[in-house]
Amino acid sequence: MSSRRLAFVAGLYASYISLVPAIVNMDNLHLQSYQQGFNGSADLMLSGTSGNTDTSLVSFDTQMQWNTGSAINLLLLGSDYGKSNGVRNVNKHFVHGRHIRPWLDNTDYEFFAQVEKNEFTRLSRRSLLGAGLRFNFTSGKNKLILGAGAFRSVEDIESGEGLTDEGIDELTRGNFYILSRHPISKAVQLSQTLYYQPDTSNWSDYRILFEGDIVVKLNETLDMKVSLDVAHDSEPPQTIEETDASLKVGIQFDF
């Protein structure tokens, strides 16, 4: 891919990103190639427009992992902040931790915890704690991982004038996912992450999360990354849309 074509694609994606709200998927981390010891990566994605409509969006994520040989410990932090015509329209943050330990051939068990907030989905705070199994069907450079588990979550929904669903909501959700990564060339790889999270007491209440990434390697430590994120909640809080989507472009630094 020529540098001119790459710049054109990046510019096209950047012009589109201001049309959709930002979301963050916290679990592309499953597909990393974990090196012994400490290592990680950081993503910075920016977009903006000026003129009749002034918008800005900053998205930052960092992932750190410690591989002891017998277990992998992960910490992921993310933050999205944006404005439109001087008014804040994106404000979300999260912290995610995960412990992965081998169990059987190609099978690991994992424990995870997460805390997050999202001002514009009326989510004052969500805390969750969960566990599960993941099954690795990787073949060569093509990676495929399936996961199954559950988590307990506590959600604090903000109040609003004329609304009746504010307060604390506690429930248990299933956590099923499929993750894959395929190299397109030596410098370009494509990955997809799909989650299905039903309420175990009401299976008509479910959430679906999808993230698709294209990563173009620029040098040994620097990549260009384009991400498409889609989140669907079948029973969102009152006044909140069922589906959120975002398209982001930025730089990924590996350390």
Side-chain angles (χ1 to χ4, degrees):
M1 182 180 292
S2 68
S3 59
R4 182 175 296 180
R5 183 177 298 179
L6 191 61
F8 172 76
V9 172
L12 182 64
Y13 283 149
S15 67
Y16 176 76
I17 190 175
S18 62
L19 301 179
V20 291
I23 61 172
V24 177
N25 184 305
M26 73 293 298
D27 271 309
N28 198 25
L29 51 81
H30 290 275
L31 292 171
Q32 299 295 333
S33 297
Y34 300 111
Q35 303 174 16
Q36 192 78 12
F38 176 81
N39 59 91
S41 64
D43 301 346
L44 178 62
M45 298 187 176
L46 307 171
S47 73
T49 63
S50 63
N52 292 319
T53 302
D54 294 320
T55 65
S56 62
L57 175 66
V58 179
S59 177
F60 177 76
D61 302 303
T62 184
Q63 176 185 317
M64 295 166 281
Q65 55 259 359
W66 180 263
N67 186 348
T68 66
S70 60
I72 300 169
N73 298 296
L74 301 156
L75 179 64
L76 186 63
L77 302 93
S79 181
D80 286 17
Y81 185 85
K83 289 185 176 182
S84 177
N85 291 327
V87 179
R88 184 171 65 244
N89 65 345
V90 177
N91 186 26
K92 60 181 298 184
H93 318 278
F94 74 92
V95 179
H96 181 93
R98 187 174 295 253
H99 176 80
I100 302 172
R101 186 174 291 270
W103 182 37
L104 303 173
D105 290 343
N106 300 320
T107 304
D108 306 324
Y109 61 86
E110 56 188 2
F111 303 94
F112 53 90
Q114 181 174 309
V115 179
E116 62 182 305
K117 67 169 292 183
N118 189 337
E119 178 182 354
F120 292 94
T121 60
R122 297 180 52 218
L123 182 63
S124 178
R125 178 181 57 85
R126 176 188 292 128
S127 303
L128 64 87
L129 184 65
L133 296 175
R134 66 177 199 165
F135 309 94
N136 195 330
F137 298 96
T138 295
S139 176
K141 294 183 178 180
N142 294 302
K143 296 189 176 184
L144 176 63
I145 296 174
L146 304 180
F151 60 84
R152 183 70 175 175
S153 70
V154 179
E155 300 182 1
D156 186 356
I157 304 300
E158 293 181 350
S159 61
E161 186 176 355
L163 305 180
T164 59
D165 61 345
E166 71 274 4
I168 304 296
D169 189 15
E170 298 185 34
L171 70 161
T172 300
R173 288 190 180 273
N175 189 49
F176 306 97
Y177 59 82
I178 179 171
L179 308 102
S180 64
R181 174 171 290 170
H182 312 284
I184 299 175
S185 67
K186 289 183 178 180
V188 182
Q189 63 182 7
L190 175 67
S191 63
Q192 304 88 31
T193 305
L194 179 64
Y195 273 79
Y196 172 60
Q197 298 174 333
D199 180 352
T200 57
S201 63
N202 176 19
W203 285 69
S204 64
D205 178 3
Y206 61 87
R207 292 172 181 166
I208 295 175
L209 308 172
F210 171 81
E211 179 180 301
D213 295 333
I214 297 177
V215 176
V216 180
K217 181 164 285 297
L218 303 178
N219 57 43
E220 290 300 317
T221 59
L222 199 62
D223 306 324
M224 191 192 84
K225 183 177 180 181
V226 179
S227 296
L228 170 65
D229 299 324
V230 180
H232 177 79
D233 186 346
S234 67
E235 297 186 12
Q238 294 170 6
T239 73
I240 304 302
E241 296 289 337
E242 290 186 357
T243 303
D244 258 343
S246 72
L247 190 59
K248 299 184 289 186
V249 62
I251 296 298
Q252 176 174 288
F253 175 72
D254 301 313
F255 58 87

